[in-house]
């Protein structure tokens, strides 16, 4: 088993674990791919498969005990804001909201739990999840690859790519907080968490 195979296996495991540093791993592997002139497709496919499996497991958890799982996730302020944003949009554009949520704090985890709690049809959820994880995995990998292409020193290119990722994430978070600032009044009037359907017996 060569190093690239081991790296892909490690990437898959990290992608499956909710809230694990998948983005950092993808950026790093993109940098390595640029340095070794390696292919990006296996990295994107493996990460997408791992994230899709993670989303599916979270969807099942949401169907069985969504309100409890969502309540635990809501203890994170950024995740709570993401869940409120999703709750207000899943009724109108469910698939689009789930795809966009990949770029929000804890968006993949929250979106999958929420979809399970709302008992979305599984085919619709998997389609939206597959699109979201593929686009997001390609974004993170290409970010590292571009950094590795422009800067030949691996550690410098990795630092540069991660810095750009942090700047982009911070910008999105700031804009997101401003956009959802009007939800603070709503949040102060709710104590039961995200509005979801109660789980039904399996």
């Amino acid at each position: 088993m060569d190093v690239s195979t081991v790296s892909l296996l490690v990437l898959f495991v990290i992608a499956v674990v909710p809230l694990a540093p998948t983005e950092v791993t993808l950026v790093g592997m993109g940098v390595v791919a640029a340095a070794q002139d390696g292919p990006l497709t296996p990295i994107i496919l493996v990460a997408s498969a791992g994230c899709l499996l993670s989303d599916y497991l979270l969807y099942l958890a949401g169907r069985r005990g969504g309100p409890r799982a969502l309540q635990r996730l809501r203890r994170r302020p950024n995740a709570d804001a993401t869940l409120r944003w999703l709750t207000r949009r899943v009724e109108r554009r469910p698939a689009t909201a789930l795809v966009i949520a990949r770029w929000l704090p804890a968006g993949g985890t929250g979106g999958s739990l929420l979809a399970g709690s709302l008992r979305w049809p599984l085919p619709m959820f998997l389609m939206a999840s597959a699109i979201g994880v593929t686009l997001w995995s390609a974004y993170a990998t290409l970010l590292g690859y571009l950094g590795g292409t422009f800067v030949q020193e691996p550690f410098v290119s990795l630092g540069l790519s991660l810095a750009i990722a942090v700047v982009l994430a911070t910008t999105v978070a700031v804009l997101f907080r401003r956009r959802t600032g009007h939800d603070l009044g709503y949040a102060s009037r709710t104590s039961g968490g995200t509005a979801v359907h109660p789980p039904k017996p399996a």
Side-chain angles (χ1 to χ4, degrees):
M1 182 178 291
D2 57 26
V3 175
S4 61
T5 302
V6 173
S7 299
L8 291 174
L9 287 174
V10 171
L11 172 62
F12 180 80
V13 172
I14 293 175
V16 171
V17 178
L19 304 178
T22 308
E23 183 176 13
V24 174
T25 306
L26 282 173
V27 170
M29 293 190 72
V31 170
V32 172
Q36 299 179 352
D37 197 23
L40 298 181
T41 302
I43 300 173
I44 296 172
L45 290 178
V46 169
S48 299
C51 289
L52 184 60
L53 176 58
S54 177
D55 284 0
Y56 174 65
L57 296 175
L58 288 167
Y59 170 86
L60 294 180
R63 287 184 67 91
R64 293 181 177 275
R68 291 190 297 273
L70 286 168
Q71 190 62 35
R72 287 195 295 270
L73 187 62
R74 284 166 61 92
R75 294 171 185 169
R76 297 167 172 258
N78 287 336
D80 180 59
T82 297
L83 284 171
R84 296 189 185 283
W85 182 89
L86 278 166
T87 301
R88 290 177 174 270
R89 286 160 179 80
V90 292
E91 295 294 336
R92 292 177 296 172
R93 298 183 180 87
T96 301
L98 191 65
V99 171
I100 295 175
R102 303 300 313 189
W103 280 265
L104 301 179
T109 299
S112 300
L113 287 171
L114 184 60
S117 298
L118 294 173
R119 297 187 173 275
W120 284 15
L122 182 58
M124 182 179 74
F125 168 75
L126 290 177
M127 179 190 69
S129 176
I131 294 173
V133 299
T134 302
L135 292 176
W136 181 81
S137 298
Y139 148 78
T141 305
L142 286 171
L143 191 60
Y145 186 84
L146 290 175
T149 300
F150 288 113
V151 181
Q152 300 302 315
E153 175 59 41
F155 289 105
V156 177
S157 59
L158 177 60
L160 175 63
S161 298
L162 291 175
I164 294 174
V166 169
V167 170
L168 291 175
T170 302
T171 301
V172 170
V174 170
L175 294 175
F176 178 63
R177 281 196 293 269
R178 289 180 179 177
R179 181 80 174 105
T180 57
H182 63 279
D183 286 342
L184 293 177
Y186 168 79
S188 65
R189 296 191 299 271
T190 58
S191 58
T194 308
V196 296
H197 298 305
K200 300 177 182 178

